[in-house]
Amino acid sequence: MEIPAKIGRHEVWVTGEIVGVHWKGPISRDDFVVLRKIFATVIAERGACYLVSDMNECTAFETQARKFLADWGRDGTEKVNGTAVYGVNFAMRSLITLAVKAVKFIGKYEGSEITFVKDEAEAMLYIAARRAAIAAGAPV
């Protein structure tokens, strides 16, 4: 798969094993379907994948997108090694946190570690620290 520069209206960038998404507007199920394929491509090529997620312009997390993400987290495939989220407002942060906790509660959760940071610079520092921790034996 060739990595697209956009998923719908959302901008995508890939540097090595890092996938970055600047979410613009609502996140749909279809957006996550494409993102999952991007992760699979990066994992196949690099052996690992990290996500930097810019939520500054994200306006909604559609219901079907949340369901798709929950199902994806439970099945354990195309799993990223760590996710750094920034630019998220309180309501969206709460929604993401609750969704992750709900998936963990109702069944097997195989999703990646998620952390909230201030900006892209902090996101990149988190990715570097996460990469080092995994190299030292931390669980993926």
Side-chain angles (χ1 to χ4, degrees):
M1 169 187 193
E2 185 174 317
I3 306 294
K6 288 192 171 237
I7 300 173
R9 66 176 77 175
H10 317 294
E11 296 173 7
V12 178
W13 56 269
V14 177
T15 302
E17 59 197 25
I18 301 172
V19 175
V21 182
H22 299 287
W23 300 103
K24 297 182 181 224
I27 301 173
S28 72
R29 180 187 184 284
D30 291 344
D31 297 332
F32 279 137
V33 168
V34 175
L35 186 61
R36 188 174 186 171
K37 290 176 184 174
I38 293 170
F39 288 166
T41 299
V42 171
I43 292 166
E45 291 176 1
R46 300 290 182 159
C49 183
Y50 298 87
L51 174 63
V52 173
S53 188
D54 173 3
M55 305 287 282
N56 276 302
E57 296 180 54
C58 181
T59 58
F61 208 101
E62 295 176 359
T63 303
Q64 290 303 313
R66 291 193 303 268
K67 182 180 181 329
F68 181 84
L69 192 58
D71 292 343
W72 177 8
R74 282 191 297 267
D75 85 12
T77 57
E78 296 87 39
K79 182 170 97 171
V80 299
N81 295 54
T83 299
V85 180
Y86 67 94
V88 63
N89 63 41
F90 178 77
M92 189 68 71
R93 182 177 179 152
S94 298
L95 181 63
I96 293 167
T97 301
L98 288 172
V100 169
K101 286 182 179 184
V103 172
K104 285 180 180 180
F105 180 75
I106 60 175
K108 179 180 126 185
Y109 178 70
E110 296 292 339
S112 73
E113 179 178 298
I114 298 172
T115 192
F116 295 95
V117 296
K118 180 178 66 176
D119 54 25
E120 188 170 338
E122 272 193 24
M124 299 308 285
L125 289 172
Y126 162 77
I127 297 298
R130 180 77 175 132
R131 186 184 288 133
I134 290 170
V140 178

